[in-house]
Amino acid sequence: MELGIRSPVHATLFHHFSNSLLFPARLTLLNTTSSSFMATHLHVSSEEFDPSPSLAIGQHDLLIVGPGILGRLVAHNWRQEYSGCQVFGQTATTNHHRELTEIGINPSLKWTKASLKFPYVIFCAPPYQSSDYLGDLRLAASCWNGEGALLFTSSSAPYDCNDNGLCHEDSPVVPTGRSPRTDVLLKAEKIVLEFGGSVLRLSGLYKVDKGAHAYWLEKGIVESRPDHILNLIHYEDAASLSVAILKKQFRGRIFLGCDNHPLSR
């Protein structure tokens, strides 16, 4: 299945680097022209937005749970698609609220704990930042009003393939109990699918200073198979793909996102 309406992009270097998968070219990604953000100056009296039940939510407004690198790029692309929409960011701390405000994201610790409902919800937060990851995800999913789309950005780690074999969206996943890491991802995916949302399994997120290449350059000697195949996707391409899936308003689907350039170590 091809998603997107613009020129295809081909990213070239990652976030998880344990799988040995060879993914076919399944998805056409939307091109992003810049990684910079257009600042939107909002008038706020504090660093914490009040998630008031009376706040008006528009038909294209978006809640991003975990507005980190990927979430901020999603926000940037979303505002380009829907000028005038509101983008809300749920965070674990107030550490980055001022900078989120400066790039047009309304930050709060409490969006999912209010009685607000959002037409579009994307969950980008990693498991290690939460003491109750599945509970947080279930809370975020319950904030979706069912009209637009709900999307969970997962990882390709659950695929049960480590022999440089071909892998696609419907390939088998590892059995429960083999790894705590894959267990939590599969349980999280199940929650989202039960709510009618979709899952995007991303393989090897990277940017110039973050990813497998940065890890190995710092580590020096890597005691692993040199011919081990890696699949990667740039953060900008992952954001474009996420927006394309949200706009299509899919229900209960699993997608696999990678560039079209598998590499050996």
Side-chain angles (χ1 to χ4, degrees):
M1 171 175 289
E2 291 190 353
L3 299 180
I5 56 176
R6 300 181 188 167
S7 303
V9 296
H10 298 286
T12 49
L13 244 183
F14 136 147
H15 166 290
H16 90 85
F17 15 93
S18 60
N19 277 6
S20 176
L21 311 175
L22 180 61
F23 299 131
R26 301 281 291 182
L27 301 173
T28 298
L29 308 181
L30 294 182
N31 192 9
T32 54
T33 57
S34 171
S35 60
S36 62
F37 298 98
M38 182 179 297
T40 301
H41 300 287
L42 303 177
H43 299 287
V44 293
S45 57
S46 70
E47 292 196 11
E48 175 72 14
F49 275 76
D50 177 21
S52 169
S54 62
L55 183 66
I57 303 297
Q59 64 175 341
H60 294 128
D61 288 353
L62 172 67
L63 171 63
I64 301 173
V65 180
I69 298 171
L70 178 59
R72 295 181 192 197
L73 286 165
V74 168
H76 173 69
N77 290 3
W78 192 258
R79 286 199 306 274
Q80 288 186 324
E81 296 289 338
Y82 300 106
S83 177
C85 73
Q86 299 179 93
V87 178
F88 302 88
Q90 169 105 359
T91 62
T93 72
T94 60
N95 294 346
H96 300 286
H97 278 197
R98 187 163 298 281
E99 61 192 74
L100 290 172
T101 300
E102 290 173 353
I103 61 173
I105 298 176
N106 302 344
S108 177
L109 305 176
K110 306 174 183 176
W111 290 129
T112 59
K113 297 178 182 178
S115 57
L116 297 170
K117 296 288 185 178
F118 301 86
Y120 293 92
V121 177
I122 182 169
F123 193 99
C124 303
Y128 64 82
Q129 291 184 345
S130 172
S131 59
D132 183 15
Y133 190 67
L134 300 181
D136 291 344
L137 183 55
R138 189 173 286 106
L139 201 58
S142 67
C143 290
W144 178 42
N145 66 12
E147 294 178 3
L150 166 66
L151 182 63
F152 169 56
T153 58
S154 185
S155 164
S156 60
Y159 286 117
D160 193 12
C161 180
N162 55 15
D163 59 356
N164 285 354
L166 189 67
C167 183
H168 53 79
E169 290 95 330
D170 301 321
S171 292
V173 296
V174 300
T176 302
R178 179 184 294 179
S179 163
R181 179 189 175 208
T182 55
D183 281 357
V184 71
L185 288 174
L186 291 170
K187 289 176 181 177
E189 292 180 359
K190 186 173 184 290
I191 290 172
V192 173
L193 294 171
E194 287 175 347
F195 270 89
S198 293
V199 171
L200 172 56
R201 292 171 176 166
L202 295 168
S203 70
L205 282 166
Y206 81 94
K207 62 188 187 79
V208 66
D209 58 351
K210 183 180 178 66
H213 61 297
Y215 168 77
W216 288 325
L217 285 171
E218 180 179 316
K219 183 176 176 61
I221 297 175
V222 180
E223 297 178 356
S224 301
R225 285 177 54 187
D227 63 341
H228 186 102
I229 295 296
L230 306 170
N231 292 268
L232 310 170
I233 186 169
H234 195 281
Y235 275 97
E236 291 187 7
D237 295 341
S240 295
L241 180 55
S242 298
V243 168
I245 293 171
L246 286 168
K247 287 179 63 180
K248 292 286 186 178
Q249 300 185 359
F250 288 108
R251 298 288 187 271
R253 299 286 297 275
I254 295 178
F255 298 92
L256 170 60
C258 65
D259 64 18
N260 193 25
H261 300 280
L263 302 171
S264 70
R265 281 198 178 92

